[in-house]
């Protein structure tokens, strides 16, 4: 009869995460090799369905964590012989970003955004804007907001010890304030041949989007309201 039993995790190799298929294999010293029954220490009266000396757990979740046991059927009536193994199923919940979705800031204001994801392992959080790293913690500090602060900020949460576990979230920042001309304000003087076409451009930032008006020698000739930052006004130069 079997006097010694060993139970181990046959696959996957390394740490186990939610969604994995886990195989636990049991082996004893009995001859001939007996069939085994598998159970979980937390539910000792429930026999788990197995095939021979192999227990397969498909698409495991954190609830499947615990101590698993196997017993040979040829040891009934003798001193209990069993094998045990601890199974830990790791997890990473979806990222939660605060503020959620979008946030309006006034020009010059400060804001602290947070990104958190519950995990069974140590995580690393990195913030990106336009593909560039702008923060390296679960807290993102936006100080003295300018119009350049506007945009989408994405936080990525990874588990260094289990790279296949990762999640992300984002927040869209809108900076509100009065019109501000892009670049240095300067007077431009042009000389052009009569009859030629001249393109003049003016770019301004603001939220809500500012309107742009054009003047010739101090008299307004047209009022243009645009939903975009840049407005181009074309005028034919006349003699």
């Amino acid at each position: 009869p079997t006097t010694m039993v060993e139970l181990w995790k046959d696959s996957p190799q390394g740490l186990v995460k939610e969604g994995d298929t886990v195989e636990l294999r049991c082996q004893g010293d009995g001859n001939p090799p007996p069939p085994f029954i598998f159970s979980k220490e937390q539910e000792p009266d429930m026999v788990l369905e197995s095939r021979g000396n192999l227990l397969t757990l498909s698409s495991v979740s954190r609830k499947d964590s615990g101590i698993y046991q196997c017993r040979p059927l040829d040891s009934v009536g003798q001193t209990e012989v069993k094998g045990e193994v601890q199974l830990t199923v790791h997890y990473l919940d979806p990222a939660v970003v605060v503020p959620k979705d979008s946030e309006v800031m006034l020009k010059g204001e400060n804001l602290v955004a947070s990104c958190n994801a519950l995990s069974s392992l140590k995580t690393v959080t990195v913030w990106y804007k336009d593909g560039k790293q702008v923060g390296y913690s679960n807290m993102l500090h936006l100080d003295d907001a300018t119009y350049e602060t506007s945009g989408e900020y994405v936080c990525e949460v990874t588990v260094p010890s289990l790279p296949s576990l990762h999640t992300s979230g984002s927040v869209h920042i809108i900076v509100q304030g009065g019109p501000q001309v892009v670049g240095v304000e300067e007077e431009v003087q042009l000389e052009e041949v009569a009859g030629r076409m001249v393109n003049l451009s003016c770019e301004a930032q603001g939220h809500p989007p500012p309107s742009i008006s054009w003047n010739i020698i101090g008299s307004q000739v047209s009022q243009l309201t645009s939903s975009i930052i840049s407005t181009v006004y074309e005028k034919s130069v006349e003699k």
Side-chain angles (χ1 to χ4, degrees), residues 190-193 196-200 233-237:
L190 298 174
E191 292 185 5
E192 191 54 83
V193 178
R196 294 283 298 275
M197 183 72 71
V198 176
N199 293 331
L200 304 176
Y233 174 71
E234 297 182 354
K235 184 180 186 302
S236 176
V237 176

Side-chain angles (χ1 to χ4, degrees), residues 106-238:
L106 294 178
K107 189 178 176 183
E109 278 190 337
N110 302 327
L111 175 71
V112 178
S114 66
C115 176
N116 295 287
L118 183 64
S119 176
S120 58
L121 295 167
K122 184 178 180 180
T123 61
V124 171
T125 303
V126 180
W127 289 87
Y128 295 93
K129 180 175 185 267
D130 300 327
K132 297 181 179 179
Q133 182 177 321
V134 294
Y136 191 79
S137 75
N138 67 314
M139 308 295 287
L140 177 67
H141 295 266
L142 301 176
D143 299 326
D144 193 19
T146 65
Y147 291 127
E148 285 71 27
T149 306
S150 298
E152 185 177 34
Y153 292 80
V154 178
C155 73
E156 293 187 356
V157 183
T158 58
V159 177
S161 58
L162 199 53
S164 55
L165 281 181
H166 55 85
T167 184
S168 64
S170 65
V171 59
H172 190 77
I173 300 297
I174 301 170
V175 178
Q176 192 171 41
Q180 175 182 310
V181 175
V182 176
V184 180
E185 293 188 37
E186 59 180 344
E187 181 179 335
V188 178
Q189 295 184 355
L190 298 174
E191 292 185 5
E192 191 54 83
V193 178
R196 294 283 298 275
M197 183 72 71
V198 176
N199 293 331
L200 304 176
S201 65
C202 178
E203 186 176 353
Q205 293 177 319
H207 187 84
S211 61
I212 295 176
S213 61
W214 292 84
N215 295 275
I216 297 181
I217 317 177
S219 61
Q220 183 172 329
V221 294
S222 85
Q223 178 78 25
L224 303 177
T225 301
S226 175
S227 61
I228 60 176
I229 288 179
S230 178
T231 301
V232 177
Y233 174 71
E234 297 182 354
K235 184 180 186 302
S236 176
V237 176
E238 299 178 357

Side-chain angles (χ1 to χ4, degrees), residues 50-97:
S50 60
R51 180 175 296 179
N53 67 337
L54 183 66
L55 173 65
T56 301
L57 304 172
S58 301
S59 190
V60 295
S61 69
R62 67 196 73 180
K63 295 180 181 179
D64 293 311
S65 296
I67 298 176
Y68 286 80
Q69 301 173 336
C70 70
R71 294 177 176 84
L73 289 179
D74 66 351
S75 65
V76 177
Q78 303 179 23
T79 303
E80 185 177 36
V81 179
K82 64 181 178 180
E84 290 185 343
V85 67
Q86 171 75 50
L87 176 64
T88 301
V89 180
H90 295 287
Y91 57 88
L92 176 65
D93 286 344
V96 177
V97 180

